[in-house]
Amino acid sequence: MPEKVTKDKVLCYIVRNGRLLVFRHTDYSYEDVGIQVPAGSIRQGESTEAAALREAGEETSLSDFAIVRKLGETEYDISPYRFEIQRRHVFHLELAEPTPERWDSQEDHDLEREPTRFECFWIPLESAHVLQSGQGALLGRLYD
């Protein structure tokens, strides 16, 4: 079995009116990838705050985000999908710009590979237990 590596990631809870912004990959089934919140890797030399704002923008095609606060850190073993432990820096973000209930978005990956396509939408915070891969682990801290 491959040795597991630990990677630092950011995870964004974007909340408005008691609802959480989530997305699904439109090129894959729910069974394969589930429902997710904006999240991703921290680039070399990038702060966790800057990474959270960048990832939120890349995955939603929106830009008017502000960090409310860092909710904490959690670790998640994503094996066997990848033999990796993710150290997740979790942020509560707010979004100032208006959005529809649902919209399409895509992440372009600097033309290195095909764009990743998403459908973004809002769900009630009470339903956020459906998030994949332990992404909902710190949702309770929104109420601290």
Side-chain angles (χ1 to χ4, degrees):
M1 184 164 64
E3 187 176 329
K4 292 180 187 176
V5 297
T6 299
K7 293 194 176 179
D8 280 286
K9 303 282 185 174
V10 292
L11 196 129
C12 306
Y13 296 154
I14 303 161
V15 180
R16 177 188 283 162
N17 300 327
R19 298 188 309 159
L20 181 69
L21 180 56
V22 297
F23 66 85
R24 68 179 189 91
H25 287 264
T26 55
D27 294 329
Y28 301 94
S29 69
Y30 281 112
E31 292 86 357
D32 287 339
V33 295
I35 295 172
Q36 303 175 47
V37 294
S41 298
I42 302 165
R43 293 179 178 164
Q44 184 79 29
E46 187 176 41
S47 71
T48 55
E49 293 82 1
L53 292 168
R54 177 182 50 76
E55 286 290 345
E58 285 177 354
E59 294 178 356
T60 65
S61 299
L62 303 172
S63 61
D64 202 358
F65 295 102
I67 292 175
V68 176
R69 65 188 171 110
K70 184 173 183 178
L71 298 173
E73 295 176 19
T74 184
E75 286 194 354
Y76 186 82
D77 185 342
I78 200 160
S79 308
Y81 176 67
R82 282 194 303 262
F83 289 95
E84 175 179 302
I85 302 207
Q86 295 184 347
R87 183 183 306 116
R88 296 172 173 173
H89 302 263
V90 183
F91 289 90
H92 174 194
L93 274 59
E94 60 186 9
L95 173 65
E97 66 194 273
T99 67
E101 282 297 306
R102 291 181 176 267
W103 67 96
D104 292 327
S105 176
Q106 74 177 35
E107 186 173 357
D108 289 324
H109 307 293
D110 304 320
L111 306 176
E112 295 169 17
R113 60 184 195 267
E114 286 296 308
T116 305
R117 293 191 293 272
F118 307 115
E119 179 187 31
C120 299
F121 53 100
W122 297 92
I123 62 171
L125 277 168
E126 300 79 37
S127 300
H129 64 277
V130 301
L131 291 171
Q132 67 105 22
S133 302
Q135 286 191 344
L138 297 187
L139 279 167
R141 293 195 182 169
L142 289 168
Y143 302 96
D144 290 350

